[in-house]
Amino acid sequence: MERRIPKKGEIYRHFKGKKYKILDLAVCTETGEDMVVFESVEGARRVYASFLETFLGTLDTGKYPHTDQKYRFELCRDEKSNKSPSLKRHGNTTALILEFLELGDNDERIKFLQRHQAQIDARFLTAAAESMEFAENGETIEERYGALMRFLKTKAKYESRRLR
């Protein structure tokens, strides 16, 4: 996905013409995918949620040949300041995942998790666990974080003994 991530307060135009204000970004509790939460700014105020990938997706021109837009939702430049948008993939979570994946050993991973505990979300935990072939079994983020930490501490303890 090469488009920039929507920001809270921005106004986007749907390809069918209605405008929507971004309320926040969220994470789907079932899939861990990033979502956009937005509300209509015209007519009845309704709140919607869409997967980020769908929100930023391109239109099927075969299905909608009479639209002017290339994307399902496009930023209304006339309603925001003229700041040029920055390109991001998925905010801090992707950056944290990439940084975690580059760490060399389990002690570094433990320190990293402790240092970034407040920033860790479900998406990060899933990626971290999969990268180490760890089968998660917790339900809450706190349980999953605790299980991952115990796994890493055990792994660090026994791998350090193997080197002796």
Side-chain angles (χ1 to χ4, degrees):
M1 185 182 327
E2 294 297 321
R3 295 186 60 206
R4 68 183 281 289
I5 304 300
K7 291 183 175 52
K8 190 174 185 173
E10 291 179 332
I11 307 293
Y12 277 75
R13 180 180 296 111
H14 187 263
F15 74 95
K16 292 183 179 176
K18 289 189 178 182
K19 294 181 182 177
Y20 299 89
K21 180 180 178 182
I22 304 300
L23 297 178
D24 219 333
L25 298 180
V27 177
C28 179
T29 59
E30 294 181 14
T31 65
E33 292 179 78
D34 292 324
M35 298 188 80
V36 180
V37 181
F38 53 99
E39 72 175 337
S40 55
V41 295
E42 304 163 321
R45 299 270 177 165
R46 298 202 54 197
V47 176
Y48 303 92
S50 175
F51 289 110
L52 179 62
E53 191 170 12
T54 303
F55 187 89
L56 296 176
T58 57
L59 280 175
D60 179 355
T61 53
K63 191 173 181 180
Y64 303 104
H66 302 295
T67 185
D68 302 341
Q69 290 186 197
K70 178 179 178 181
Y71 300 102
R72 181 170 298 278
F73 288 90
E74 290 185 357
L75 180 64
C76 294
R77 302 247 179 232
D78 55 331
E79 302 195 27
K80 284 303 285 178
S81 64
N82 289 334
K83 292 193 302 186
S84 67
S86 60
L87 291 176
K88 285 186 179 178
R89 295 234 356 141
H90 291 287
N92 287 343
T93 303
T94 297
L96 283 176
I97 291 168
L98 293 174
E99 193 175 339
F100 181 82
L101 293 175
E102 291 177 4
L103 297 174
D105 65 27
N106 293 317
D107 289 325
E108 288 179 18
R109 291 182 184 114
I110 291 167
K111 289 175 187 170
F112 179 88
L113 291 175
Q114 291 169 335
R115 194 170 52 246
H116 296 285
Q117 184 175 2
Q119 300 166 289
I120 291 173
D121 61 9
R123 187 169 166 257
F124 174 90
L125 289 171
T126 299
E130 288 177 359
S131 74
M132 295 181 294
E133 298 179 0
F134 171 63
E136 293 184 284
N137 57 3
E139 291 185 21
T140 67
I141 289 180
E142 292 80 14
E143 290 172 348
R144 293 172 62 196
Y145 174 84
L148 184 60
M149 287 295 285
R150 286 189 297 278
F151 172 77
L152 281 170
K153 287 177 181 179
T154 302
K155 198 171 174 185
K157 178 181 177 182
Y158 288 103
E159 285 181 355
S160 67
R161 287 185 181 172
R162 261 194 336 202
L163 298 175
R164 292 179 187 173

